[in-house]
Amino acid sequence: MYAFDYARPASLAEAIEAMKDEDAKALAGGQTLIPTLKQRLASPTTLVDLNGIAEIKGICLKDGMVAIGAGTRHAEVADSADVQRLIPALAHLAAHIGDPQVRNRGTLGGSLANNDPSACYPAAVLGLGATVHTSAGRAIAADDYFQGMFETALGEGELITSVDFPVPEKAAYMKFVQPASRFALTGVFVAKFLGAVRVAVTGASESGVFRWPEAEKALSANFSAGALDGVALGADGMIGDLHGTPEYRAHLAGVMARRAVTAAG
Amino acid sequence: MPKDHGIGASSKRREDVRFLTGKGQYTDDINRPGQAFCYFLRSNVAHGTITSLDVSAARDAKGVVGVFTSKDLEGLGGIPCGWEVTDKDGAPMKEPKHPILAEGKVRHVGDPIVAIIADSLAAGRDAAELVELEIDELPAVVDMREAIKGGTVLHDVAPDNICYDWEFVAENKAAVDEAIRNAHHVTTLELVNNRLVPNAMEPRAAVGEYDAGRDEYTLWTTSQNPHVIRLLMGAFVLSIPEHKLRVVAPDVGGGFGSKIYHYAEEAFITWVSKRVGRPVKWNADRSEAFMSDAHGRDHVTKVELAMDQEGNFLALRSSTLANMGAYLSTFAPCIPTWLHGTLLAGNYKTPLIFTNVKAVFTNTVPVDAYRGAGRPEATYQLERTIDKAAREMGIDPVELRRRNFVKPDQYPYQTPVAVIYDTGNYDATLDKALELADVRGFAERKADSAARGKLRGLGIANYIEACGIAPSSLVGALGARAGLYEAATVRVNPTGNVSVFTGSHSHGQGHETTFAQVVADMLGCEEANVDIVHGDTSRIPFGMGTYGSRSLAVGGSAIVKSVEKIITKAKKIAAHLLEASEADITFANGQFTVAGTDKAIDWGSVALTAYVPHKYPIDDVEPGLEETSFYDPANFTYPAGTYVCEVEVDPDTGVVEVQSFVAADDFGNVVNPMIVEGQVHGGLAQGIGQAILEGCSYDENGQLLSASYMDYAMPRAADLPMFVVDHSCNTPCTHNPLGVKGCGEAGAIGSPPAIVNAVIDALSAHGVTHIDMPLTPRRVWEAIRAARN
């Protein structure tokens, strides 16, 4: 770890001010940033710790949607009675990220800002068509937010404040874990809304989380696992590494999608 | 009634109190006044020539005490190798120098180049970034099949990268070839025994301190054998005589073989503590461990098994490429040879066996013994090949094994590969394992799995291992540069309690409990009155340490010998005190009695008399009650057993789930059943890890792809079933006083073939005949897909 200055703003306004230093880094749950710092792979001038900002924490219901503060930890989402009642698939997803230590530190905002291609949350945000609210006062649709591996629509110093999740009729997330890291080797979030189905795939693509239009179309017509017979994802652009070839990941997306549809009921 | 005390009791592990309450003293817990820290700058390329190295800016950096390169180490030796294997043509193996810090060339990712001593680790790391290092990268060779073609050469002394080309048993070669030519059927299998990273929970660490007043060095280090380190480092590397060098291996958090060896870092830390005049600490981080701890396994093997019409084994021919990595680790040469070739008879009476092993240098971390060491590789190739043979011959795999077993009336059994099995009963463990696994109910469980879309398979493997390493004269003839006895001093203190000083080293095995049980049983005292001291060369006699499941069989036997001497002497003292003839004294339950009388004296009185010899047979017996013994075993011990497991394969994803696992082991006599069961559990976890999860992987440039837990999959509790472990079929070892065989490695030896056999059984309907370990979801899915196409 290199030396850095440490700031712990008590309000979003102070945080926005602190983030004006272009070499500042925001610290949310620290589940990616802290290991990166320890390995000397990042050298921010200032670490802006967001953990003291009450206004970006917590879960509430807003206009029929579930609004989750960016600073809310995975364990809080998993344990929330509102989330469990309205979007059980989201509670389930949060309950299966990493291990208890990760879930009690990691935050929704941190995960989305980092946009790791193997993270779980991006699948839920994209699969549910959520809206990402930011410190710049922007409301960014999920379809516009994710812009590639570790790339997002966030501007310089812009912080996520909360995410609004629409409530689907039914939804499920199925994750095939990478055997070592237990990140998603391929995870699929399926959500059925009135008149439309959204399918988001994480872990598989070199471009990060993505929607699978052919699967959405098939499931919109007939929301059953069998509707996906003959719907196959191409291997082009999928990640190939020690744990899976592009073909394997593409195949897993199909298997996980079918299982998610079945689990959604 | 199970015993609650002494030999045979499941006494609770006394050492766990300190381990579980944070009171353990590991090397990193040791901090010396004025201590500085060491950071090693390591190569980030697999092969290259150092064209420029300027450390002047690092030397001038804040907090830096000293910066060292190989130029500063002139006059010091390289890291020695402890075993010499002879080539088939009689020439000694190629033994290139293994420098402490790279000399002009780097040969694997992680090869240390510069050592920085600083006031803090952070200062050392900062200074490392100021080192100006240029490496002219050379092509790297990782694949052994490529390496032996030459071209890219690691060491000038080995132009084809072959360390040795070994044949065993050379005299059998022609007969084996002929038997294979003429056989009714020959089953052939090519397989890979995957490279593993040992991953002890505690990374390696060292603290060096030099006492200028006494001209004495102390090294605290994470070792399984501190006397071996003292000898190798003192005599061959640093030229420090033993009496000026103390090596302490305090509490050590797991070794699995990786902490047997003498490593460059600990030699450097010892040397530099004098050079900088301060104690120096180094503690590997996990990334360093991945690229500098000796790895395990890494064999590529072709096996041919010849059979007659009835499936009787006629001959076995095996050829192996064994990866040595970039340099020879301490015992690396003996693993694929004498700990591998000599086990190729397995549990079977195959009359003719021949193996050829080529040890190969590659641009990878050195490879050495890892839990099982050579024996897992032998067992895996045998048990996989037999399973394949059973399918090809249309014979039930259990029946084929049973038909070829060495039978109980054949002991001692001279194998065609030098070793002589003293005892065993392979039918008994096979029957027991089949019974406990409810093999009869398998068809029903398979149907149930099928109804859920899963493929169920049953796998069986037998194993035998040579443990209790080893008769010194034998291993000396085979190339060992050391004896392999063990030493123990038993000191009865004046008030009767007992301190035992053992050359064995416990790094998780529970010796402090088990050895105390043995001594307490012999002396008829409370276990709590016996203390076991290990790990400090200034306290313990010269012993060889712990590996090869040898601690109880060899180290325990040395303790028994010393206790026997103590009892003999104590009887003389008791006879004098009781005014009786020594021949009339019996000792039981801590009491000396005169046979046929009620005259008795207790243990404590005799012990006190030995140290307060007022009324004492001083003409016949010296005062004191302390004895030292060295026990050199007459033979190896041969633990054996049968493992049966069931797996379920998800054909859609390739995921393998181990549903059940039965281990029926013959460990001879068992001192502490609970600890033995724990040892089996740990071994099984590592074996299942090897079979389905763990695979060390390099890319073609020699970059370590599986360099952290993000990519190297360790077994977790959820990956393992509840184990069923049985030791009821024991045949006590015939040549050591405790009748024990050793239990530390069995689980890791027998489980990989059992798991793979089960997976292949599950997939056989799809036409899959073999998959190389680890059986990751990706590989299993690809094998199914390839077989379908």
Side-chain angles (χ1 to χ4, degrees):
Chain A
M1 203 176 274
Y2 296 107
F4 51 79
D5 291 329
Y6 174 79
R8 190 180 167 91
S11 69
L12 192 56
E14 286 174 38
I16 291 166
E17 192 58 32
M19 288 302 292
K20 284 184 178 162
D21 173 355
E22 66 177 34
D23 292 323
K25 268 265 183 202
L27 173 70
Q31 297 307 289
T32 300
L33 182 55
I34 297 293
T36 306
L37 291 173
K38 284 166 81 171
Q39 292 181 58
R40 297 192 157 201
L41 297 174
S43 52
T45 51
T46 306
L47 208 56
V48 181
D49 184 347
L50 308 178
N51 287 280
I53 306 173
E55 63 202 277
I56 60 167
K57 295 181 180 180
I59 300 168
C60 65
L61 305 181
K62 187 176 83 180
D63 306 330
M65 289 195 277
V66 179
I68 302 179
T72 310
R73 304 195 194 280
H74 309 330
E76 295 171 277
V77 174
D79 293 343
S80 158
D82 285 335
V83 179
Q84 287 175 2
R85 179 169 51 88
L86 295 168
I87 320 178
L90 181 59
H92 183 265
L93 176 149
H96 291 83
I97 298 172
D99 54 28
Q101 289 87 340
V102 169
R103 292 194 288 275
N104 282 291
R105 288 301 304 168
T107 68
L108 172 64
S111 173
L112 296 179
N114 189 46
N115 192 20
D116 187 303
S118 301
C120 294
Y121 261 137
V125 170
L126 190 61
L128 289 165
T131 302
V132 177
H133 296 274
T134 77
S135 58
R138 296 202 292 159
I140 308 170
D143 287 335
D144 301 324
Y145 177 81
F146 300 102
Q147 301 197 343
M149 198 183 268
F150 299 107
E151 297 288 331
T152 71
L154 293 175
E156 201 67 43
E158 187 174 11
L159 302 168
I160 300 173
T161 54
S162 69
V163 181
D164 293 345
F165 290 92
V167 176
E169 284 178 28
K170 48 175 95 170
Y173 177 64
M174 277 290 159
K175 168 167 66 169
F176 188 86
V177 296
Q178 195 255 53
S181 69
R182 306 287 162 126
F183 273 78
L185 188 71
T186 295
V188 179
F189 198 102
V190 174
K192 181 176 187 305
F193 294 90
L194 199 60
V197 172
R198 292 176 67 101
V199 177
V201 182
T202 189
S205 169
E206 288 177 344
S207 308
V209 67
F210 65 97
R211 283 175 70 183
W212 186 3
E214 293 81 6
E216 291 182 351
K217 190 176 163 200
L219 291 170
S220 295
N222 172 14
F223 193 77
S224 72
L228 292 172
D229 289 348
V231 180
L233 199 57
D236 282 355
M238 297 294 132
I239 297 169
D241 62 15
L242 266 184
H243 308 284
T245 55
E247 291 76 16
Y248 183 52
R249 280 186 165 85
H251 166 79
L252 282 177
V255 175
M256 293 299 114
R258 282 178 187 80
R259 291 183 182 178
V261 170
T262 304
Chain B
M1 271 291 284
K3 289 183 71 174
D4 63 359
H5 182 82
I7 293 173
S10 285
S11 300
K12 293 285 195 310
R13 286 167 42 112
R14 56 171 68 176
E15 45 270 81
D16 286 352
V17 175
R18 70 175 188 275
F19 296 155
L20 296 176
T21 57
K23 302 287 196 296
Q25 273 282 307
Y26 296 87
T27 299
D28 194 40
D29 292 321
I30 289 159
N31 292 296
R32 305 298 299 163
Q35 173 177 291
F37 296 83
C38 181
Y39 178 76
F40 288 99
L41 177 64
R42 297 174 183 276
S43 178
N44 59 9
V45 301
H47 198 193
T49 307
I50 299 171
T51 53
S52 156
L53 179 55
D54 180 354
V55 299
S56 51
R59 276 201 179 111
D60 293 340
K62 191 179 163 202
V64 169
V65 178
V67 180
F68 301 89
T69 69
S70 62
K71 285 208 174 83
D72 301 296
L73 305 181
E74 278 167 17
L76 301 185
I79 300 301
C81 182
W83 200 296
E84 181 178 276
V85 167
T86 305
D87 233 76
K88 64 183 180 188
D89 60 9
M93 66 185 188
K94 308 294 194 303
E95 197 171 348
K97 185 178 182 186
H98 182 181
I100 295 173
L101 297 172
E103 292 177 355
K105 227 184 150 187
V106 292
R107 294 183 177 86
H108 68 89
V109 169
D111 214 355
I113 303 168
V114 180
I116 296 161
I117 311 299
D119 290 334
S120 69
L121 183 58
R125 291 183 69 165
D126 287 344
E129 295 183 5
L130 300 175
V131 170
E132 291 179 27
L133 168 66
E134 283 175 28
I135 296 177
D136 185 9
E137 204 170 341
L138 297 167
V141 63
V142 170
D143 187 321
M144 291 185 281
R145 288 160 287 205
E146 289 301 315
I148 58 174
K149 294 176 187 165
T152 296
V153 178
L154 273 82
H155 301 282
D156 295 342
V157 295
D160 50 6
N161 295 311
I162 294 177
C163 173
Y164 56 73
D165 185 350
W166 182 78
E167 290 186 343
F168 181 73
V169 175
E171 301 78 57
N172 288 349
K173 186 170 195 264
V176 168
D177 290 348
E178 189 181 343
I180 287 176
R181 257 196 315 273
N182 299 330
H184 167 74
H185 182 76
V186 179
T187 291
T188 303
L189 183 59
E190 293 184 32
L191 47 81
V192 172
N193 206 291
N194 43 325
R195 177 184 277 242
L196 303 174
V197 180
N199 281 306
M201 192 181 290
E202 179 204 22
R204 287 189 297 118
V207 178
E209 182 169 22
Y210 176 70
D211 179 340
R214 295 176 180 275
D215 186 30
E216 286 175 2
Y217 296 82
T218 301
L219 168 68
W220 289 267
T221 187
T222 46
S223 174
Q224 301 178 208
N225 31 240
H227 267 297
V228 174
I229 301 304
R230 189 180 73 162
L231 177 63
L232 290 175
M233 184 175 82
F236 297 100
V237 187
L238 302 181
S239 300
I240 303 170
E242 287 101 318
H243 65 296
K244 292 296 183 187
L245 176 57
R246 174 184 172 209
V247 176
V248 187
D251 287 332
V252 174
F256 314 112
S258 71
K259 293 173 183 168
I260 298 171
Y261 324 118
H262 178 38
Y263 284 95
E265 293 90 349
E266 62 199 354
F268 177 78
I269 292 295
T270 305
W271 174 85
V272 84
S273 68
K274 178 179 181 182
R275 178 70 181 258
V276 301
R278 284 170 69 173
V280 177
K281 172 182 280 189
W282 168 73
N283 196 29
D285 62 27
R286 190 57 70 181
S287 303
E288 255 182 314
F290 269 94
M291 60 174 117
S292 70
D293 292 357
H295 292 172
R297 314 282 193 261
D298 206 347
H299 286 194
V300 175
T301 295
K302 179 182 178 186
V303 200
E304 294 155 286
L305 176 63
M307 287 160 286
D308 66 15
Q309 265 171 318
E310 281 73 45
N312 292 307
F313 301 164
L314 303 176
L316 181 89
R317 185 166 64 195
S318 147
S319 62
T320 288
L321 296 177
N323 208 331
M324 295 286 103
Y327 305 100
L328 291 179
S329 178
T330 310
F331 289 115
C334 96
I335 310 306
T337 51
W338 300 111
L339 287 180
H340 172 249
T342 54
L343 271 300
L344 285 173
N347 312 59
Y348 311 101
K349 52 191 181 199
T350 315
L352 288 167
I353 296 172
F354 174 78
T355 183
N356 168 236
V357 177
K358 292 184 180 72
V360 185
F361 293 113
T362 60
N363 293 110
T364 62
V365 172
V367 180
D368 206 325
Y370 170 75
R371 203 171 191 167
R375 293 151 290 173
E377 296 90 324
T379 303
Y380 184 67
Q381 60 182 287
L382 275 181
E383 294 297 318
R384 281 289 302 124
T385 305
I386 293 169
D387 235 49
K388 186 161 186 265
R391 277 178 211 290
E392 290 174 358
M393 296 281 285
I395 301 174
D396 177 78
V398 172
E399 173 54 28
L400 182 61
R401 288 179 165 89
R402 199 189 291 279
R403 196 173 290 176
N404 287 284
F405 270 161
V406 176
K407 295 294 180 185
D409 61 1
Q410 291 181 285
Y411 299 101
Y413 179 76
Q414 172 67 61
T415 69
V417 277
V419 293
I420 301 172
Y421 301 160
D422 63 332
T423 181
N425 188 343
Y426 312 140
D427 287 283
T429 53
L430 177 61
D431 289 339
K432 177 58 81 174
L434 295 173
E435 174 202 327
L436 291 171
D438 182 27
V439 169
R440 288 202 183 100
F442 174 70
E444 197 178 317
R445 293 190 292 277
K446 188 176 173 73
D448 176 61
S449 297
R452 289 180 285 108
K454 302 288 175 64
L455 307 170
R456 198 176 188 94
L458 176 79
I460 294 167
N462 296 306
Y463 75 89
I464 187 164
E465 48 171 336
C467 294
I469 294 171
S472 294
S473 61
L474 174 62
V475 295
L478 303 182
R481 290 163 171 166
L484 284 169
Y485 48 82
E486 195 48 87
T489 296
V490 175
R491 178 184 301 157
V492 178
N493 297 308
T495 64
N497 52 63
V498 183
S499 301
V500 177
F501 302 86
T502 172
S504 300
H505 185 274
S506 187
H507 31 279
Q509 293 88 344
H511 295 168
E512 292 171 34
T513 304
T514 312
F515 290 178
Q517 286 178 253
V518 171
V519 174
D521 201 278
M522 293 179 74
L523 294 181
C525 67
E526 297 289 326
E527 290 171 21
N529 289 341
V530 183
D531 202 25
I532 307 298
V533 178
H534 60 97
D536 183 343
T537 59
S538 71
R539 299 185 72 192
I540 60 171
F542 187 92
M544 299 305 295
T546 288
Y547 36 84
S549 303
R550 71 192 300 271
S551 294
L552 191 59
V554 189
S557 296
I559 293 172
V560 168
K561 279 184 68 175
S562 288
V563 175
E564 285 171 347
K565 290 179 192 172
I566 294 274
I567 292 171
T568 300
K569 182 171 179 181
K571 277 183 176 175
K572 288 186 202 290
I573 300 168
H576 186 83
L577 293 172
L578 294 168
E579 297 175 340
S581 159
E582 188 189 329
D584 292 338
I585 301 291
T586 58
F587 177 63
N589 302 318
Q591 290 275 326
F592 298 87
T593 49
V594 182
T597 74
D598 59 357
K599 286 169 70 178
I601 190 167
D602 65 18
W603 170 254
S605 302
V606 172
L608 188 63
T609 304
Y611 290 95
V612 188
H614 295 165
K615 184 186 174 193
Y616 201 76
I618 200 77
D619 294 337
D620 298 331
V621 188
E622 293 173 7
L625 207 45
E626 174 169 330
E627 298 288 351
T628 295
S629 303
F630 288 77
Y631 178 79
D632 201 283
N635 190 356
F636 293 91
T637 62
Y638 299 95
T642 305
Y643 291 174
V644 178
C645 71
E646 287 183 28
V647 301
E648 220 174 50
V649 180
D650 180 343
D652 291 335
T653 60
V655 168
V656 173
E657 278 188 10
V658 184
Q659 298 287 315
S660 65
F661 203 107
V662 172
D665 295 295
D666 173 3
F667 295 138
N669 292 333
V670 167
V671 170
N672 184 317
M674 178 196 72
I675 287 179
V676 166
E677 190 164 341
Q679 286 286 311
V680 175
H681 283 204
L684 293 177
Q686 286 181 310
I688 291 170
Q690 171 168 27
I692 62 180
L693 292 159
E694 298 182 48
C696 178
S697 185
Y698 283 91
D699 73 9
E700 60 189 20
N701 299 318
Q703 287 297 326
L704 183 56
L705 298 175
S706 54
S708 78
Y709 294 134
M710 290 296 282
D711 288 300
Y712 189 91
M714 293 288 284
R716 294 160 159 89
D719 296 314
L720 308 172
M722 296 302 287
F723 297 126
V724 176
V725 177
D726 179 87
H727 321 123
S728 64
C729 307
N730 74 39
T731 59
C733 171
T734 60
H735 57 80
N736 66 45
L738 290 164
V740 296
K741 296 182 176 178
C743 67
E745 298 159 291
I749 292 171
S751 54
I755 297 281
V756 177
N757 285 343
V759 173
I760 299 304
D761 182 51
L763 301 182
S764 58
H766 288 271
V768 176
T769 58
H770 181 69
I771 309 173
D772 278 323
M773 300 185 290
L775 271 51
T776 58
R778 165 196 175 168
R779 285 191 179 180
V780 172
W781 177 76
E782 285 173 353
I784 295 171
R785 197 171 65 147
R788 277 177 179 164
N789 296 338

